[in-house]
Structure formats: structure tokens, C-alpha cells
Amino acid sequence: MKVHHLNCGTMRAPGGKLLDGQPGLLRRSELVAHCLLIETGDGLVLVDTGFGRKGVENPGAWLGTPFTIMVGAKPVETETAAHHVEALGHKLEDVRHIICTHLDVDHAGGLADFPNAVVHVRTAEHDAATSPANQSEKLRFRANQFAHRPLWSMYDEAGDDWFGFQAVRELKGLPPEILLVPLAGHTKGHTGVAVDTGDGWLLHAGDAYFFHGQMDPVKPHCPPGMTAFQNMVQTLRKPRLENVERLRELSREHADEVTVFSAHSPVEYQSLSRG
């Protein structure tokens, strides 16, 4: 399978060094929306979808004004998943499956661009996003992004062991080289997506962590602003921290077999997209 690394939404939040660790406080940091496009023998698979074309047309209405201001999002057409698919010579209907690490606005914004694709998601995530139980869930999930009634394919806690991670499972209608890896914490039903490329595994860890330094095998680190942000948006603190540690262990002990990366690190994205 061929895997393309896509940036489907650049974010430039104020805070500079406090968020990305680079010199300067009075500048905007930069985050990406790192998605995958996987070419299989039976069509294309997207992992996450970024802001989407409707996010470009009307960011405030589609993504929510508080979100766009907070993260400094200014969506552009050339970064939409739909644009990337077409630029690679495919049709939008060639995307037959979408796997969502979770359903926050910057990950589910492009679902409506692929209305005929089957959307794979954990049941806990689907339920929180489509039937929010509290104000926090109502704010972080955008009902308009699901108004087209996606073709959901949902998964409960069941599966096998994979490099020490439990309840890992294959997905309906997809090759066995693509796996769902539960990583609860950022949201209730947050998950990672593992892809066997033939030259090793890629593990898209979604928002299980945000800063590349958190995976440093010798001296894990994260700027204070980014640490505060992760704490602010987490749903389940203990599982989130446990999964960060497990991902770090995986990255340290199986670096020759598995490449771990998050959804928003520009450092990780640039390294993998160049490769």
C-alpha cells in the first residue's frame, strides 16, 4: 500500500515558544492537521480529514468561531483533503473509507466532502459527538459536520494485542494491514490508526500527544503552553497520560518496526512527508 502524508489544515496559535519550543514569544506558533491518504487495491482510505472545503467557505460557521480564533485557523482550499485527493489524480468518490482518530472539528471537518465514504470510528466517540452528554461535548463537536448523515461503521472494545496495546482490531471492509488502536484520553473514543506499509508500521496517534519532544526516548519534554493546552482539552486524564507513556515506550523499544507520530506536530509531518 502506498501512503501519502497530507497537511489538511495549518493552525497558527499565538504563544510562540510556549507552544512549539522555538525562540520567540511574540510570534505565532505553527501546527498542522496531519492526515493520511492510503492507496489500497480497492480504493482510497483517508485517516482524518482536516478542516474540509466548508471550513474554507465559512470557517466560523463550520469550525466554530471560538476554535478558529484560539488556534489561529485560516483554512485554504489547497490544504483540504479533497484538494489533495484530486491533485494526486483521483476522484473524490475514490475515497471509499475514512478512519477518524476522533471527531473534533479539525479532524472531522472534511467528512462532508466524501459523503459516500464509510466512516470508521469507535462507538464511544460516535456517541459523544452525535449525542453530546454535557456542555463540553456540545462545544467540541460540531453537529453541522455530521448533518449529511455519514455512513458510520462503529467499533466497541474488543480485539487483540499489538506491541503491548490491547483491543486492537481490523476494520470492516479494509485490508488487515490497517488497524484501530484505542488511545482514549483526549476524547472518550480517541484512537490511533496503524498501517503496515510493507517497510514497517506507521502509527498515527491522533491527539494522544501534540509535541514531538514528548516521544524523546532520553529526555521527554513539552513546552509549558502546549502542556497546559493538552490538559485543558483532555477528557480522561489518567488514560491519556498512560497512553503517552505507552507510545513513548513503543517508540523507544520498537523504533525499527514502528514510526509513531501525532496529528499536529509540524516537525513529525515534515520528516515523514519528505520521506
Side-chain angles (χ1 to χ4, degrees):
M1 293 185 296
K2 188 172 184 178
V3 179
H4 303 273
H5 294 269
L6 315 175
N7 174 19
C8 295
T10 299
M11 291 159 273
R12 295 180 175 84
K17 183 178 181 180
L18 297 177
L19 290 176
D20 61 20
Q22 298 300 311
L25 291 171
L26 301 179
R27 60 174 179 81
R28 289 184 175 269
S29 60
E30 182 173 308
L31 301 175
V32 298
H34 190 163
C35 302
L36 301 180
L37 182 66
I38 307 168
E39 298 183 18
T40 75
D42 188 29
L44 304 176
V45 180
L46 267 174
V47 178
D48 284 344
T49 65
F51 295 146
R53 281 180 163 162
K54 292 189 177 181
V56 176
E57 295 168 5
N58 195 335
W62 190 246
L63 304 170
T65 300
F67 170 82
T68 59
I69 293 174
M70 178 177 66
V71 304
K74 294 183 178 179
V76 295
E77 163 64 20
T78 53
E79 288 185 343
T80 63
H83 176 87
H84 286 300
V85 168
E86 292 174 335
L88 287 167
H90 304 288
K91 298 178 181 178
L92 299 189
E93 52 266 33
D94 293 335
V95 176
R96 298 187 178 180
H97 298 269
I98 298 173
I99 311 170
C100 290
T101 61
H102 60 300
L103 295 172
D104 277 349
V105 301
D106 51 327
H107 297 259
L111 289 179
D113 294 331
F114 308 95
N116 298 316
V118 176
V119 181
H120 302 264
V121 67
R122 290 178 64 202
T123 301
E125 189 71 8
H126 168 271
D127 292 350
T130 60
S131 300
N134 52 53
Q135 188 62 23
S136 175
E137 290 180 349
K138 289 179 182 178
L139 289 173
R140 79 182 305 160
F141 302 118
R142 301 287 293 176
N144 56 348
Q145 295 185 352
F146 318 122
H148 66 289
R149 297 187 178 182
L151 304 175
W152 301 110
S153 182
M154 293 176 283
Y155 302 84
D156 294 312
E157 295 291 338
D160 301 313
D161 182 86
W162 180 82
F163 289 101
F165 289 83
Q166 298 177 343
V168 176
R169 60 175 301 155
E170 297 177 13
L171 297 104
K172 303 166 191 173
L174 289 174
E177 292 85 1
I178 304 176
L179 302 174
L180 210 60
V181 183
L183 294 173
H186 179 68
T187 60
K188 291 178 182 176
H190 186 276
T191 187
V193 180
V195 183
D196 185 354
T197 67
D199 295 318
W201 288 92
L202 294 173
L203 176 56
H204 190 312
D207 288 4
Y209 72 96
F210 280 69
F211 185 68
H212 63 279
Q214 292 175 263
M215 292 297 107
D216 191 306
V218 178
K219 190 177 180 181
H221 59 284
C222 185
M226 187 60 77
T227 297
F229 179 75
Q230 291 181 85
N231 290 335
M232 180 180 71
V233 298
Q234 69 189 358
T235 299
L236 304 167
R237 178 175 174 80
K238 184 178 178 182
R240 182 182 73 82
L241 295 177
E242 290 175 346
N243 280 324
V244 171
E245 182 57 40
R246 292 166 71 201
L247 289 167
R248 186 181 300 122
E249 181 180 343
L250 174 66
S251 185
R252 179 176 63 246
E253 298 186 2
H254 298 281
D256 57 336
E257 300 172 82
V258 184
T259 300
V260 179
F261 60 95
S262 67
H264 296 304
S265 167
V267 173
E268 293 172 338
Y269 169 72
Q270 290 163 9
S271 174
L272 289 166
S273 60
R274 284 196 299 264

